[in-house]
Amino acid sequence: MNNKKCIVFLLLLLAHFCFSQSVLGKWKTIDDETGKEKGIVEIYEKDGKIFGTIIEILEAEHRTKKCILCQGSDKNKPILGMTFIKGLSKDGNEYNGGKILDPKNGKLYKCYITLEGKDKLKVRGYIGFSLFGRTQYWYRVKK
């Protein structure tokens, strides 16, 4: 291989590695209390912030539910299609400084997310200090 081909190959390899180490993409959510698969979330970036939208609900009986207990603009909105992770910013290896909504109880919590591997995401919602909260582990949806 000549030098130009080596450089191009290394750049492509680096780009692939960086992309695969991103929190962006589709994730299968797992309920931390029951261990059940709940849905598919798409995490995306908008204006330099990270957001998450519920794009699929796996349990048929919950697909048409609305967020009755939510406050403000989320009140009575369908849970399917709802943006429930809002405004996280990159801070070292984690994303924080935003909120996560629990559609079951309508409450907003502080939130941080961090990769635990290229295909495993740690999601922590909490009140006050991160010591007081819940953690879920989500798994990247393979294409």
Side-chain angles (χ1 to χ4, degrees):
M1 244 185 197
N2 67 29
N3 284 344
K4 286 183 183 179
K5 285 183 181 179
C6 284
I7 290 172
V8 169
F9 175 75
L10 288 174
L11 288 174
L12 289 173
L13 188 62
L14 180 62
H16 173 73
F17 177 76
C18 290
F19 179 73
S20 66
Q21 295 298 309
S22 172
V23 298
L24 304 180
K26 294 178 182 175
W27 297 88
K28 184 178 289 184
T29 65
I30 309 295
D31 188 292
D32 58 302
E33 295 172 340
T34 65
K36 285 185 173 183
E37 296 178 347
K38 301 299 275 183
I40 306 294
V41 170
E42 183 165 19
I43 297 182
Y44 61 94
E45 184 176 350
K46 180 179 175 189
D47 299 326
K49 301 281 185 176
I50 299 296
F51 296 85
T53 299
I54 300 167
I55 62 170
E56 188 176 343
I57 297 174
L58 300 176
E59 296 173 305
E61 67 272 15
H62 297 296
R63 290 185 185 139
T64 59
K65 284 194 173 182
K66 295 186 178 185
C67 197
I68 307 295
L69 299 174
C70 289
Q71 302 294 313
S73 63
D74 289 325
K75 184 162 185 67
N76 294 320
K77 278 191 175 175
I79 294 171
L80 184 61
M82 178 176 280
T83 299
F84 76 113
I85 295 176
K86 303 175 183 192
L88 300 179
S89 298
K90 187 163 178 55
D91 182 12
N93 289 330
E94 78 177 30
Y95 293 81
N96 57 41
K99 302 280 184 179
I100 189 166
L101 172 69
D102 184 344
K104 284 184 188 176
N105 63 23
K107 293 183 181 180
L108 277 172
Y109 299 93
K110 292 179 180 179
C111 174
Y112 75 82
I113 62 176
T114 185
L115 284 171
E116 295 277 311
K118 73 175 191 160
D119 294 328
K120 185 177 179 182
L121 187 68
K122 178 181 180 181
V123 181
R124 179 115 177 118
Y126 59 95
I127 297 172
F129 300 100
S130 66
L131 182 63
F132 303 107
R134 291 174 46 192
T135 299
Q136 290 186 351
Y137 292 94
W138 299 351
Y139 298 89
R140 190 179 303 276
V141 174
K142 305 287 185 176
K143 295 180 183 176

